Amino acid sequence: MNTRTDLIVVGAGIVGLAHAYEAQRRGLTVRVIERDWAPNGASIRNFGHACITAQAGDLLPIAYRSRAGWLAASKDAGFWGREAGALVVARSEVEMAVIEQLRAERGETVQVQTAAQVRERFGAGADPDPTIIGGGFMPDDLRVDPRTAAPTLGRWLAEQERVTIEWGTAVGGFSGNTVSTSRGDFEADKIIVCVGHDLDYLFPDVAAKYEVTRCSLQMALAPAPTGYDLESAVLSGTSMNRYDAFTLMPGHAALLSELTANTPDLIDMGANVMFTRRPDGTVLLGDSHVYSDTMPPFMEAEITDRLVREISTIIGRPLPIIQNWQGIYASSPQTSLLDEQVTSVIRTISVTSGIGMTLSFGIAAETLDSL
Ligand SMILES: Cc1cc2nc3c(=O)[nH]c(=O)nc-3n(C[C@H](O)[C@H](O)[C@H](O)COP(=O)(O)OP(=O)(O)OC[C@H]3O[C@@H](n4cnc5c(N)ncnc54)[C@H](O)[C@@H]3O)c2cc1C
């Protein structure tokens, strides 16, 4: 076996796979080394929402570059991807004000909606919360199915001439151009480490430098609600408390005060009340946020119940739950994107907030530009 390639990527989550996708597009040979037998981390446990418009600052152009990458990869590998946009529902004047402020800054990428327009987007047979007074539609956001996008991309990449994927192979260490694994050594000109929240296991000093910790989220799946067929991601007031584009608006302080007064339990659990519809109609519901270096696996039934009640009110349908799970991603108080050149050969890249699906292909394109 030829053990040398132009590039080694460690980790076959969406960040690692996006790097492999970009590398093979540019004619490089690439070996992906993944300890599991399929993508099984944050990349399959999320909402499948490429949340483009709600990014701000340096991350906004990366998100738009990622958008193009997602669309190209979806076409090449054949996974479900839709230019479905995102709908933010507003249930108070304070929430509407923040949407209108973002609209004033961003123009047509944020379309202010009346209550009737929001209701229409939910679908003819739907019956959303009567307290919705309007909203914002963000047409540039994308949707993919998180359970199939990365696995399908991984399988497609493995069939490409210039790509090898070593599944079930754990990386244990690095020396110069060599990666030591549970199945022997591999060499490459460049090595990119995309192990998400497990960065501390391989590079504890880098993780410590950026104060990387783990963030755990509770998620749930509901069967297809009758009459609901909206492919857009649906966000709420609590979402506007978590994405930079909204928190930078002058109305954010009033929004946070209102949320804290009216729904202190949602603020306490770090809620981002949002939901997305999978291609089979089932609905992904979430989420809450808890931070710890070692993440206890135990989920709080009360937290999921509260999130489900809130979404059931928005969607106007009872939501029986058929699955629950925990997702974990990397978090840093210093940056949302950790990109550290460890040696002249090795670079570590972890998205250190909950936007790795959004940014993955944009980050990969920038990394490959700079190799
Ligand atoms: C519940 C939830 C909802 C989210 N919703 C969204 C969303 O809607 N939109 C959005 O943009 N982002 C969202 N995120 C964030 C997003 O899912 C993550 O930022 C992204 O998936 C991180 O991708 P990754 O490839 O870095 O990590 P992962 O998918 O966790 O992949 C890392 C891979 O590295 C492998 N690995 C680790 N150590 C080794 C080793 N030593 N040797 C070999 N392999 C190794 C792991 O097995 C794993 O497969 C959400 C996250 C969660 C948890």
Side-chain angles (χ1 to χ4, degrees):
M1 177 168 67
N2 182 2
T3 56
R4 180 141 191 145
T5 47
D6 296 324
L7 185 70
I8 284 176
V9 174
V10 182
I14 197 59
V15 175
L17 293 175
H19 278 84
Y21 176 75
E22 275 297 324
Q24 61 84 35
R25 269 180 120 186
R26 294 167 193 230
L28 300 182
T29 56
V30 53
R31 184 184 309 279
V32 180
I33 307 177
E34 165 58 51
R35 69 181 171 199
D36 221 318
W37 297 95
N40 198 38
S43 302
I44 65 152
R45 301 176 191 211
N46 59 57
F47 291 101
H49 173 212
C51 184
I52 310 295
T53 311
Q55 306 309 316
D58 295 347
L59 298 185
L60 187 61
I62 300 177
Y64 270 98
R65 206 166 175 196
S66 192
R67 184 181 197 279
W70 268 115
L71 291 173
S74 156
K75 199 165 162 224
D76 285 346
F79 58 81
W80 187 91
R82 291 282 187 278
E83 296 183 72
L87 177 66
V88 192
V89 299
R91 291 182 287 174
S92 77
E93 296 296 344
V94 171
E95 292 178 359
M96 266 320 285
V98 174
I99 292 168
E100 278 158 6
Q101 287 159 12
L102 190 62
R103 153 79 202 194
E105 185 185 290
R106 298 287 181 86
E108 271 305 303
T109 62
V110 180
Q111 301 169 1
V112 173
Q113 305 283 285
T114 62
Q117 286 170 323
V118 170
R119 226 174 296 282
E120 201 178 315
R121 286 191 185 276
F122 267 72
D127 190 19
D129 187 350
T131 69
I132 293 173
I133 61 165
F137 182 65
M138 305 189 292
D140 290 348
D141 284 21
L142 298 182
R143 289 288 330 289
V144 297
D145 176 25
R147 298 190 180 190
T148 53
T152 307
L153 179 59
R155 280 194 297 275
W156 180 84
L157 281 168
E159 290 165 3
Q160 305 311 301
E161 201 186 328
R162 288 187 287 273
V163 183
T164 310
I165 304 195
E166 311 290 346
W167 298 107
T169 304
V171 168
F174 303 84
S175 171
N177 294 74
T178 303
V179 178
S180 302
T181 82
S182 50
R183 296 179 193 273
D185 290 351
F186 298 98
E187 288 182 3
D189 295 344
K190 298 285 179 191
I191 299 163
I192 302 175
V193 179
C194 306
V195 294
H197 58 271
D198 286 340
L199 182 68
D200 55 345
Y201 296 163
L202 290 175
F203 293 99
D205 294 345
V206 178
K209 178 177 165 188
Y210 290 94
E211 302 171 84
V212 175
T213 186
R214 289 174 172 77
C215 176
S216 163
L217 297 80
Q218 290 192 195
M219 298 282 286
L221 185 76
T226 316
Y228 177 73
D229 57 10
L230 179 58
E231 284 186 341
S232 316
V234 180
L235 312 182
S236 70
T238 53
S239 316
M240 288 193 269
N241 187 42
R242 295 200 69 93
Y243 293 111
D244 286 351
F246 295 109
T247 60
L248 289 169
M249 291 299 109
H252 172 253
L255 172 73
L256 179 56
S257 302
E258 185 178 81
L259 290 169
T260 308
N262 295 346
T263 50
D265 52 346
L266 292 178
I267 294 298
D268 283 351
M269 68 174 78
N272 170 4
V273 176
M274 64 170 285
F275 50 101
T276 55
R277 184 179 179 273
R278 298 189 62 221
D280 65 2
T282 55
V283 180
L284 297 159
L285 315 169
D287 58 22
S288 54
H289 296 80
V290 171
Y291 300 84
S292 176
D293 291 338
T294 291
M295 191 52 71
F298 314 110
M299 294 194 296
E300 302 296 335
E302 206 177 298
I303 288 183
T304 301
D305 287 351
R306 179 66 182 94
L307 293 168
V308 173
R309 271 204 314 280
E310 191 71 12
I311 292 172
S312 180
T313 303
I314 295 173
I315 216 166
R317 292 273 182 272
L319 293 169
I321 294 307
I322 50 177
Q323 287 180 351
N324 294 283
W325 64 99
Q326 177 188 53
I328 299 177
Y329 64 66
S331 177
S332 161
Q334 299 177 29
T335 181
S336 294
L337 174 53
L338 186 163
D339 181 348
E340 181 83 351
Q341 192 77 46
V342 182
T343 68
S344 59
V345 174
I346 303 170
R347 192 159 162 184
T348 62
I349 297 179
S350 284
V351 179
T352 43
S353 71
I355 50 175
M357 292 292 274
T358 304
L359 299 182
S360 48
F361 285 89
I363 297 168
E366 301 225 328
T367 309
L368 269 292
D369 282 353
S370 65
L371 279 187

